[in-house]
Amino acid sequence: MDPRLISLVRPLVKALHAVHTPRFEGLEHLPHGPALLVGNHGLLGYETVLFFDRLFEMTGRMPRGLADRWFFRVPGVRDALVRLGGMYGNVENALHALGRDHLVVCYPGGAREVLKRNPGDCYRLRWEKSLGFVKVALKAGVPIIPFAAAGVDDTYHILSRIEGSGRYLMGNDKYDLPLLWGRGPLPEAVPFWFRIGKPIQATCKEGDEVGTRALHREVWAQTQSLLDGLVGEWREARGMKGTKDEGALRCAS
């Protein structure tokens, strides 16, 4: 991690704070030691920088993020990501960071949530194929802490997707780029709300496949419930409850 680069980037992140006025709740649920934080990714995933910055500002701890391998195939992005505290998202890196008492942030939905293809995917956790984070927590003996982000899927309207773009750029259709529209190519200036939930401590042992899958379902369900509640409050605060043509409800339709 490069403190000089972080100091250069933070003023740019502060400018995003003025656009999205992030609200943060639940810091009391963070332990003093290591923990694995899991939550939802917004469209294009750019809310991540605000989440990390606020965590750092409010706790003095710079979290380490597990990033999709896609980022490590893009020249320039890979190096910048590592210097800002990001890591290639594998078990070894996660265990190394947790072993050094870091807060490690994981988005189990990965590219499936960043590159949403239709409005029905908004605020829905796509974790069905992601057991790795549970195995990491069990091996490291750390709590899993769910978190939710509202507003992050309302930065753009999802119009369609650019079919074949993922195969051409990354060799896989799951990376197909969405066709989006906000304030033109720029995101809508909607507020971002973040909420950290109560820690979930594993009750099964490492290597217990049945217990691992049960824990995965439990974390998934609790995180989705946390997200549903926060998004509902976000919509109500913006006067959008029951208004299908506005704001967040365009994503829930």
Side-chain angles (χ1 to χ4, degrees):
M1 194 168 66
D2 185 346
R4 292 176 299 176
L5 181 59
I6 290 174
S7 67
L8 290 173
V9 169
R10 290 198 73 199
L12 300 177
V13 177
K14 295 303 179 190
L16 288 178
H17 279 246
V19 174
H20 295 294
T21 58
R23 190 175 88 174
F24 217 101
E25 300 174 355
L27 284 173
E28 68 275 10
H29 297 312
L30 294 177
H32 294 294
L36 184 65
L37 282 70
V38 296
N40 65 299
H41 242 329
L43 278 168
L44 303 184
Y46 93 98
E47 83 288 341
T48 306
V49 295
L50 285 91
F51 182 67
F52 278 48
D53 184 71
R54 287 295 282 158
L55 269 180
F56 178 55
E57 187 174 69
M58 300 173 78
T59 67
R61 303 174 69 183
M62 177 60 75
R64 298 297 193 270
L66 298 174
D68 190 280
R69 63 180 180 272
W70 179 84
F71 291 101
F72 290 86
R73 296 181 181 180
V74 182
V77 173
R78 174 185 57 215
D79 296 334
L81 188 64
V82 170
R83 292 170 65 192
L84 292 171
M87 302 179 295
Y88 186 94
N90 61 23
V91 172
E92 291 75 16
N93 285 337
L95 291 175
H96 178 73
L98 291 167
R100 299 182 68 182
D101 287 342
H102 287 301
L103 297 173
V104 174
V105 178
C106 174
Y107 294 93
R112 293 186 296 276
E113 292 180 11
V114 170
L115 303 175
K116 295 177 176 72
R117 299 181 178 185
N118 60 74
D121 291 334
C122 293
Y123 301 117
R124 302 263 62 83
L125 301 179
R126 300 292 307 279
W127 295 6
E128 55 272 15
K129 297 181 180 180
S130 302
L131 284 169
F133 74 91
V134 177
K135 295 178 180 180
V136 165
L138 291 174
K139 192 172 186 66
V142 300
I144 299 172
I145 301 181
F147 68 89
V152 299
D153 279 344
D154 285 271
T155 49
Y156 291 94
H157 295 269
I158 301 174
L159 303 178
S160 183
R161 64 171 175 147
I162 306 173
E163 293 192 20
S165 57
R167 193 181 314 113
Y168 175 75
L169 295 170
M170 300 300 300
N172 193 314
D173 287 336
K174 79 172 185 176
Y175 295 107
D176 275 357
L177 300 175
L179 187 60
L180 305 174
W181 191 257
R183 290 189 173 184
L186 299 177
E188 298 280 0
V190 294
F192 286 171
W193 290 9
F194 300 104
R195 179 173 293 166
I196 297 174
K198 295 180 180 180
I200 301 171
Q201 194 68 52
T203 56
C204 61
K205 295 182 179 179
E206 182 189 357
D208 177 357
E209 288 299 320
V210 174
T212 297
R213 292 185 180 278
L215 180 58
H216 176 267
R217 288 193 297 271
E218 178 187 355
V219 176
W220 189 355
Q222 288 198 31
T223 309
Q224 186 66 68
S225 178
L226 185 71
L227 178 58
D228 290 343
L230 183 63
V231 170
E233 293 174 24
W234 187 93
R235 291 173 180 167
E236 189 169 9
R238 291 176 58 79
M240 296 175 178
K241 194 170 185 180
T243 308
K244 293 185 179 180
D245 294 331
E246 295 181 11
L249 294 188
R250 68 171 174 268
C251 286
S253 62

